[in-house]
Amino acid sequence: MNTALFGVIAMFILTVAIAIPLGRYIGKVYLGEKTLLDPVFNPIERFFFRISGLDGTREMNWKQHIYALLGINLVWFFLCFLLLLNQGWLPLNPDHNPSMSPDLAFNTTISFLVNCNLQHYSGETGLSYLSQIGGIMFLQFVTAGTGMAACAMVFNAMRSKQTTQLGNFYNYFIKSCTRILLPVSFIAAVILVMSGTPMTWEGKETITTLQGGEQVVSRGPAAAMVAIKQAGTNGGGFFGVNSAHPLENPTYLTNMVENILIVLIPIAMVFALGYYLKRRKMAWMIMGVMTIGFLALCLPSISNEMKGNPAITEMGIDQSTGSMEGKEVRFGSEASAYWGITTTVTSNGSVNAMHDSFTPITGGMAMLGMMANSFYGGVGVGFLNFYIFIILAVFISGLMVGRTPEFLGKKVEAREVKIAAFIAILHPLLILSGTALSAYFVSHNTDMGNWSNGKASAWLNNPGHHGFSEMLYEYTSSAANNGSGFEGLADNNPFWNITTGIVMLLSRFLPIIGPLAIAGLLANKKHIPESAGTLQTDTPIFGIMIFAVIFIIAALSFFPALALGPFAEYFSQIH
């Protein structure tokens, strides 16, 4: 086994080893049990509630949770949007970066508001330090906290026998930010600073290269932002090339730390569920399904990147180190492929290699991870997406055995199934509709007028199957709240800024509202004691059922599109 492959295995084992105790800690936080950090954060949280005038002890029903979540996000939208429109003349802008255009500011604000972090700008030239820290990094904390607070409400609903009172959104939100995200990010930021990631308010620095020439290097308060971008499954980079940048990700150690952070809290939330519900067997079943799906995407990706690109081999170029085009030598093909899958099965979207340069199968696996959108997922919302498939699996299993579907002692009836089906269908609808629209314009070489400079064909740096993949990937990334991209696409124009902004908006809040509504409706139903005929939802058999539902929905919805893009490109390369 080569050293690089051993590093990949070590990353996954370390992630799970840390996630188990972290999940227990998260469960304690949401249950209000005593933890070691109480003396530090109790006064801070009381201060926040006092200055805001909010009552963190008032119980809310599921509708009040949704109103609170949407209301506070609306405030954040206007604050960040105005900041980006005016950053050019505001302070903390040593490099004199200009203000954003309205369409780019709209896209960027929506992107970071929904935890997607899709970037149609380059970080070091597109944002001031005030925008990076006061706008972007602020949203990276609070939007991650929002997803975790929504997940905590669903945990509460699943635990309750019969109630409409499901905790307090603001209490869950503040605890998520202060007691979970902040400590994890602080530890990560310290490691990054010690490894060479800058944390300064100084502007660009002119340096002399080894060849004797001069080069201007961007700096800034990067370490703090990189830590929360990874821990909160945000993914938006301080620098344009994200974690492929040598200052954002200097060493193999920082690469391991950042890669572990991508999936750490999503996995920990599964173990938090087991502790919260006192159903550890269910947690391990969910973890097993997610891990099988993850490995099914990860193993062929690593294998293909290690083999190299057959088109390059035909040119007589040595690929003994794997497919290294678009990758950093300090990470190699194995760690780059592993990062590519971990970042796309979650809603992270950060990159340490150029995804546009992945071999076709790896690019397809990255897209499929976002299309399934249920293997680990984002912080909080990852489990909410999986919860939808649990409800569908319960319903289908009940029909198969001729019993009324039940989940945790509650009857799953038509209303809950309709909501779950709508959310499951929404994801492919947004992705495929956007891709079809853009493909239509490109195929007809449409003159886009004010929507884009020039004709639609100018969007693509690559023709044919790969060009189609670039458009498919962009909408898939937007709908999955991911944010990574096949960067051969020219996307900073009104068409892509507005259409992806709309997709991001719909695909963030509706998939949160749906699970909250289902959980709230089920929590208010009469609890039915388990009997000999009750469907056991914590067994491997039920796990297989969930995986089958995910696979069938993904296969029926997306395989035709994948066949036109990455799979067609793969078969064209092998003749």
Side-chain angles (χ1 to χ4, degrees):
M1 182 185 298
N2 63 41
T3 305
L5 199 56
F6 177 78
V8 168
I9 296 170
M11 275 190 274
F12 182 76
I13 294 173
L14 280 171
T15 303
V16 177
I18 299 170
I20 293 173
L22 179 60
R24 180 182 175 88
Y25 167 75
I26 293 172
K28 285 187 172 186
V29 167
Y30 291 143
L31 285 169
E33 296 178 0
K34 187 176 180 180
T35 67
L36 291 174
L37 296 179
D38 287 351
V40 177
F41 291 113
N42 281 342
I44 297 174
E45 290 167 5
R46 286 196 295 266
F47 172 74
F48 280 132
F49 283 115
R50 185 165 63 250
I51 63 172
S52 66
L54 296 170
D55 182 5
T57 62
R58 182 174 65 89
E59 292 284 332
M60 295 179 173
N61 60 36
W62 65 271
K63 293 181 180 179
Q64 291 170 322
H65 274 268
I66 292 173
Y67 295 149
L69 185 153
L70 295 178
I72 199 169
N73 274 266
L74 186 63
V75 173
W76 296 333
F77 170 80
F78 285 110
L79 290 175
C80 187
F81 184 64
L82 292 173
L83 174 59
L84 296 178
L85 286 176
N86 295 280
Q87 68 174 3
W89 61 269
L90 290 172
L92 296 179
N93 190 10
D95 298 326
H96 307 291
N97 291 334
S99 299
M100 284 189 173
S101 64
D103 61 287
L104 181 57
F106 169 79
N107 181 274
T108 303
T109 303
I110 291 294
S111 176
F112 285 87
L113 183 74
V114 303
N115 200 244
C116 181
N117 291 204
L118 186 75
Q119 294 176 282
H120 286 177
Y121 64 90
S122 182
E124 57 265 63
T125 59
L127 293 178
S128 67
Y129 293 169
L130 180 61
S131 295
Q132 292 271 33
I133 301 300
I136 300 307
M137 194 179 85
F138 169 76
L139 289 180
Q140 288 178 330
F141 266 102
V142 297
T143 58
T146 296
M148 296 178 74
C151 188
M153 192 227 84
V154 174
F155 285 1
N156 201 348
M158 293 170 67
R159 188 171 185 261
S160 303
K161 295 294 184 182
Q162 185 176 12
T163 185
T164 60
Q165 305 303 303
L166 301 170
N168 183 280
F169 169 80
Y170 299 109
N171 182 46
Y172 292 143
F173 167 71
I174 291 292
K175 286 183 174 180
S176 298
C177 292
T178 57
R179 296 170 184 259
I180 302 167
L181 294 170
L182 184 60
V184 172
S185 300
F186 178 80
I187 295 170
V190 170
I191 296 173
L192 291 171
V193 169
M194 293 176 64
S195 300
T197 301
M199 189 66 197
T200 177
W201 296 105
E202 298 292 332
K204 291 182 173 68
E205 176 73 10
T206 301
I207 64 171
T208 302
T209 66
L210 293 175
Q211 289 79 17
E214 288 191 348
Q215 182 174 340
V216 176
V217 177
S218 294
R219 298 178 292 177
M225 181 175 165
V226 173
I228 184 58
K229 87 161 187 183
Q230 299 301 87
T233 60
N234 296 286
F238 190 93
F239 300 102
V241 294
N242 209 279
S243 287
H245 197 287
L247 296 184
E248 195 160 320
N249 189 8
T251 67
Y252 198 88
L253 172 62
T254 61
N255 190 72
M256 289 187 69
V257 171
E258 292 183 30
N259 209 160
I260 287 170
L261 287 176
I262 291 175
V263 287
L264 178 60
I265 295 180
I267 293 177
M269 291 296 287
V270 176
F271 294 113
L273 170 72
Y275 182 85
Y276 197 97
L277 302 184
K278 293 182 172 55
R279 290 177 176 266
R280 290 175 175 80
K281 190 176 178 183
M282 175 180 285
W284 279 107
M285 179 274 293
I286 294 172
M287 176 63 182
V289 174
M290 290 181 171
T291 302
I292 289 171
F294 170 71
L295 293 177
L297 299 170
C298 192
L299 295 179
S301 299
I302 294 175
S303 174
N304 275 272
E305 295 308 309
M306 289 175 66
K307 290 177 182 176
N309 191 320
I312 295 178
T313 301
E314 290 180 2
M315 298 168 64
I317 297 174
D318 175 50
Q319 293 192 89
S320 58
T321 57
S323 176
M324 288 300 296
E325 198 254 321
K327 299 181 179 66
E328 290 296 306
V329 176
R330 63 188 187 276
F331 307 140
S333 58
E334 298 90 345
S336 299
Y338 180 75
W339 184 302
I341 298 303
T342 55
T343 198
T344 47
V345 296
T346 64
S347 64
N348 184 274
S350 66
V351 299
N352 73 345
M354 177 64 77
H355 284 204
D356 198 41
S357 297
F358 278 149
T359 56
I361 292 298
T362 305
M365 293 298 102
M367 279 190 265
L368 189 55
M370 294 184 287
M371 290 165 174
N373 204 28
S374 52
F375 302 136
Y376 303 143
V379 288
V381 293
F383 176 75
L384 297 186
N385 292 331
F386 196 87
Y387 182 71
I388 291 295
F389 289 109
I390 290 177
I391 297 300
L392 293 174
V394 166
F395 174 70
I396 295 171
S397 299
L399 294 179
M400 291 174 67
V401 299
R403 286 180 55 88
T404 302
E406 296 175 14
F407 180 57
L408 300 180
K410 306 296 178 68
K411 287 186 177 181
V412 178
E413 297 175 303
R415 185 160 50 168
E416 294 83 39
V417 175
K418 288 177 182 177
I419 296 172
F422 173 78
I423 299 302
I425 293 171
L426 177 70
H427 187 60
L429 175 65
L430 292 172
I431 293 171
L432 298 177
S433 296
T435 304
L437 180 64
S438 59
Y440 173 84
F441 287 141
V442 169
S443 64
H444 289 77
N445 200 20
T446 306
D447 189 342
M448 299 305 295
N450 293 329
W451 282 90
S452 181
N453 295 326
K455 295 183 180 293
S457 60
W459 293 337
L460 305 179
N461 285 343
N462 298 279
H465 307 304
H466 197 83
F468 178 80
S469 295
E470 289 174 351
M471 296 185 289
L472 177 63
Y473 194 107
E474 188 75 2
Y475 284 109
T476 303
S477 178
S478 301
N481 290 137
N482 185 265
S484 62
F486 268 22
E487 297 305 337
L489 181 71
D491 48 25
N492 184 15
N493 54 64
F495 175 83
W496 286 98
N497 286 337
I498 293 172
T499 57
T500 56
I502 293 171
V503 169
M504 287 188 288
L505 195 63
L506 293 175
S507 60
R508 166 69 168 183
F509 293 110
L510 291 179
I512 288 179
I513 292 171
L516 291 184
I518 293 171
L521 292 171
L522 291 178
N524 195 31
K525 292 184 178 183
K526 183 179 178 181
H527 185 266
I528 304 170
E530 291 188 3
S531 65
T534 300
L535 174 67
Q536 298 298 314
T537 54
D538 56 3
T539 63
I541 296 297
F542 186 69
I544 293 172
M545 188 67 187
I546 297 174
F547 187 85
V549 170
I550 295 171
F551 177 80
I552 290 170
I553 291 177
L556 292 177
S557 301
F558 296 114
F559 274 20
L562 290 171
L564 293 173
F567 296 162
E569 184 180 1
Y570 169 76
F571 286 112
S572 67
Q573 286 185 353
I574 63 173
H575 309 298

